[in-house]
Amino acid sequence: MKTTIFAAVAALLLPAAPLHAQAPAGIPGVLAPGVETELVQEGFVFTEGPVGTADGGLYFSDIRPNKIYRLDPDGKIVLVREQTNGANGLAVTKDGDLLAAEGDGKRVSKRSRDGTVTTVTDSADGKPFLSPNDLIIDSKGGIYITDPGPRPVVPGRPTYVYYLPAGAKQPIVIDDKIGRPNGLTLTNDGKTLIVDDTIGPIVFAYDVQGDGSVTGKRTFAQLRDIPEGKESGADGLALDRDGRVYITTVTGVQVLDAKGQYLGTIKVARQPANVAFAGPDKRMLYITAREGLYRVKMLSQGPDRVGK
């Protein structure tokens, strides 16, 4: 496997600098009062796709330079893949393989542990993907995928949420009625799929069926404090062990309880794009935000499953 140490890795060995203090009261059960968001490393272009690994590390992507990095448990950042075709959202399989939603490659790819990259799926009903954005793996090995298409938004252009059953090559469409589907996650019991919309403030929920299909589309939550006339910027999602949902938005990382009730917002120095729990005990929340990778020590804990 070709592995290159990131040029500025030495900076990681220094204490991370506090960037933005949270509200004095914090968020009960989530964030202690006065805890500050920290910069881990900057100098990237557009960070995305964070996902924790079994050993406490973290993968994340830098979309525009077409690279995927790994933050090792000892604090080093290494380059693990180049020429990623605009890889955005990432997921880790039970076997330790790395899946990527390749926006420019118009496919979901798999990087095996030996470094081999193959295509998992690249079309539905014989039609190529538009620009896959994010993905999450269920307990059966099936994959939920969002495909909002590339920017700029084209009025009338279809968008999709797919489900790819384990071992299949062609996914099924489970929703084509969201303005711009982006981040998604599954509840801890796997019974509910949650999907957000980069354009609008509504976050949707669905009941997951035994075959991976979904029913019962409904509003899970409405995001707070979105400026009038602006997109919500709803992007990546994470879930904690108690079922709370963390959504990156134009205002920061909005935290919701398991019923979709708003609990508070974690502020970040740059607009965040995605979020994931990682570390040996999954009590560190990593946030990808434009040119930087950030982190914040949490009271809450990431889910007891592989990846996000």
Side-chain angles (χ1 to χ4, degrees), residues 13-306:
L13 305 180
L14 299 174
L19 286 184
H20 200 301
Q22 305 306 318
I27 303 173
V30 174
L31 189 69
V35 172
E36 298 177 328
T37 304
E38 300 175 334
L39 174 66
V40 177
Q41 179 67 44
E42 59 184 358
F44 304 101
V45 180
F46 197 104
T47 55
E48 251 285 7
V51 61
T53 59
D55 64 356
L58 180 88
Y59 286 112
F60 66 97
S61 54
D62 196 0
I63 299 175
R64 291 169 186 162
N66 293 300
K67 295 178 179 180
I68 295 174
Y69 294 96
R70 173 178 156 85
L71 172 66
D72 287 335
D74 62 3
K76 293 181 180 179
I77 290 181
V78 296
L79 178 64
V80 297
R81 184 182 164 198
E82 298 183 88
Q83 299 178 345
T84 63
N85 303 310
N88 193 329
L90 305 176
V92 177
T93 71
K94 291 180 179 179
D95 295 328
D97 298 328
L98 182 65
L99 303 185
E102 297 184 5
D104 295 338
K106 300 182 179 181
R107 66 173 182 168
V108 172
S109 62
K110 181 177 74 172
R111 180 187 180 278
S112 299
R113 286 166 292 172
D114 65 2
T116 303
V117 177
T118 55
T119 297
V120 175
T121 183
D122 59 7
S123 61
D125 295 328
K127 298 178 181 179
F129 290 154
L130 300 171
S131 182
N133 185 288
D134 207 355
L135 71 172
I136 191 164
I137 306 170
D138 68 14
S139 61
K140 299 177 181 179
I143 309 169
Y144 291 94
I145 307 161
T146 56
D147 186 7
R151 290 280 188 174
V153 175
V154 177
R157 184 175 64 194
T159 65
Y160 301 99
V161 182
Y162 295 110
Y163 178 67
L164 180 72
K169 294 295 289 184
Q170 292 272 317
I172 59 172
V173 176
I174 59 174
D175 197 346
D176 59 0
K177 298 295 189 296
I178 299 177
R180 188 170 176 80
N182 195 312
L184 73 174
T185 192
L186 288 163
T187 53
N188 288 310
D189 61 8
K191 294 181 179 181
T192 304
L193 175 71
I194 299 171
V195 183
D196 65 26
D197 177 4
T198 306
I199 297 174
I202 303 300
V203 182
F204 301 96
Y206 310 75
D207 298 319
V208 175
Q209 306 303 298
D211 61 357
S213 62
V214 298
T215 60
K217 181 181 179 181
R218 59 194 179 277
T219 295
F220 172 72
Q222 180 154 339
L223 299 170
R224 296 289 191 91
D225 304 321
I226 306 303
E228 184 71 25
K230 298 292 186 180
E231 293 186 2
S232 67
D235 205 321
L237 297 176
L239 194 79
D240 72 19
R241 201 157 296 196
D242 294 316
R244 287 177 289 246
V245 180
Y246 301 71
I247 304 179
T248 56
T249 73
V250 70
T251 67
V253 181
Q254 297 198 22
V255 185
L256 312 172
D257 70 13
K259 295 182 179 180
Q261 298 300 307
Y262 175 78
L263 299 177
T265 297
I266 302 171
K267 298 294 185 178
V268 190
R270 296 176 170 107
Q271 182 176 330
N274 212 327
V275 63
F277 284 90
D281 58 359
K282 285 194 171 184
R283 290 192 183 275
M284 191 69 74
L285 189 69
Y286 284 88
I287 305 166
T288 54
R290 299 326 192 240
E291 300 92 348
L293 174 67
Y294 299 82
R295 69 186 179 197
V296 59
K297 182 65 176 176
M298 307 297 289
L299 298 174
S300 54
Q301 188 175 18
D304 187 19
R305 63 190 186 195
V306 176

